[in-house]
């Protein structure tokens, strides 16, 4: 008899197939270490233990990885676990809601940064993608197209600054393209092309009026 525990994503048949256990397998000649190694080689399986209990029982316990985020790199989107391992090379509908992280190394560094973002759900729900720049710092691409450029050090403090400015001045609802917080002593805001053109016209009209 075969006892199997820990499976959620993978079916019983898939696990037994990976382990090399069939209806004709002999408990005596089954190599438990080899079966465990084959299981651990599967990206969905973080750990596995295979025990032979004579005379006629086999126990397989696995610890599965969970789908954590969608990782975009070189134009491809994959499903990754919390530790950055790619568990699926394509995105199925049931995981399409996961956060999207973009860039080299984003799959590995996402867990730490997203744990910071969990403190700010009011901003988190506005984010379309988390973009890792030069494998050092993050940008937030909002659903309305605004980019928030965070510093490498102290991103939480910068996020709190954005939230405060939005609460006091409705910053994220304005006609802007980017908010730059990479310098600790100032916040730089870049207008959208339309807003910049309108501002230039307004300044021009004001100057002509003075003349």
């Amino acid at each position: 008899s075969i006892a199997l525990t820990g499976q959620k994503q993978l079916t019983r048949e898939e696990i037994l197939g990976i382990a090399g256990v069939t209806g004709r397998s002999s408990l005596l000649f089954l190599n438990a270490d080899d079966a465990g190694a084959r299981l651990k080689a599967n990206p969905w399986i973080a750990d596995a233990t295979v025990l032979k209990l004579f005379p006629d029982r086999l126990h397989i316990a696995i610890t599965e990885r969970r789908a954590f985020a969608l990782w975009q790199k070189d134009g491809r989107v994959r499903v990754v676990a919390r530790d950055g391992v790619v568990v699926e090379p394509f995105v199925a509908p049931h995981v399409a809601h996961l956060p999207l992280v973009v860039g080299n190394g984003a799959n590995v560094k996402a867990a730490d940064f997203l744990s910071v973002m969990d403190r700010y759900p009011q901003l988190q729900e506005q984010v379309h993608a988390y973009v890792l720049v030069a494998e050092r710092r993050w940008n937030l691409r909002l659903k309305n197209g605004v980019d928030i450029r965070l510093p490498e050090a102290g991103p939480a403090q910068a996020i709190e600054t954005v939230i405060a400015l939005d609460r006091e001045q409705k910053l994220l609802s304005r006609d802007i393209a980017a908010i730059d917080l990479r310098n600790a002593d100032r916040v730089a805001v870049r207008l959208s092309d339309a807003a910049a053109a309108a501002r230039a016209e307004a300044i021009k009209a004001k100057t002509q009026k003075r003349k």
Side-chain angles (χ1 to χ4, degrees):
S1 63
I2 301 173
L4 179 60
T5 60
Q7 79 274 21
K8 293 181 181 178
Q9 295 287 342
L10 299 173
T11 66
R12 179 183 179 89
E13 291 72 22
E14 287 173 328
I15 293 170
L16 294 180
I18 295 168
V21 177
T22 69
R24 296 183 177 182
S25 297
S26 166
L27 186 65
L28 180 63
F29 296 109
L30 176 68
N31 189 313
D33 290 338
D34 287 350
R38 286 193 293 270
L39 288 167
K40 292 177 187 178
N42 185 280
W44 278 111
I45 301 175
D47 197 12
T49 302
V50 179
L51 297 176
K52 299 197 297 183
L53 305 174
F54 290 103
D56 58 359
R57 287 187 296 156
L58 181 68
H59 183 254
I60 301 176
I62 67 169
T63 301
E64 284 192 347
R65 292 183 173 92
R66 295 183 179 181
F68 175 70
L70 308 180
W71 175 40
Q72 180 178 318
K73 179 190 174 188
D74 300 330
R76 292 183 59 192
V77 181
R78 308 170 179 90
V79 183
V80 296
R82 178 176 285 274
D83 60 3
V85 172
V86 176
V87 292
E88 286 288 350
F90 59 90
V91 179
H94 70 279
V95 295
H97 67 284
L98 293 174
L100 175 64
V101 298
V102 181
N104 290 337
N107 57 319
V108 176
K109 296 190 175 185
D112 288 340
F113 182 70
L114 292 180
S115 67
V116 174
M117 287 298 302
D118 285 341
R119 306 177 208 165
Y120 311 103
Q122 67 272 42
L123 179 60
Q124 195 175 41
E125 65 184 12
Q126 299 182 56
V127 176
H128 169 65
Y130 304 88
V131 182
L132 185 62
V133 180
E135 299 188 41
R136 295 187 298 106
R137 64 170 195 83
W138 293 89
N139 285 352
L140 307 181
R141 169 60 62 89
L142 303 189
K143 294 174 183 177
N144 63 2
V146 174
D147 274 329
I148 301 177
R149 299 167 184 169
L150 298 175
E152 182 177 357
Q157 184 176 354
I159 291 170
E160 290 173 3
T161 298
V162 169
I163 292 174
L165 288 171
D166 187 51
R167 181 173 58 248
E168 297 165 5
Q169 303 181 29
K170 304 296 182 184
L171 180 63
L172 299 180
S173 302
R174 294 175 178 265
D175 195 1
I176 59 176
I179 305 168
D180 194 338
L181 299 108
R182 289 175 292 177
N183 295 309
D185 59 341
R186 65 181 182 273
V187 177
V189 177
R190 182 164 66 86
L191 297 174
S192 67
D193 292 342
R199 184 173 185 272
E201 285 296 322
I203 293 173
K204 180 179 179 181
K206 188 174 182 181
T207 301
Q208 291 177 342
K209 185 177 181 181
R210 285 179 180 176
K211 290 181 180 180

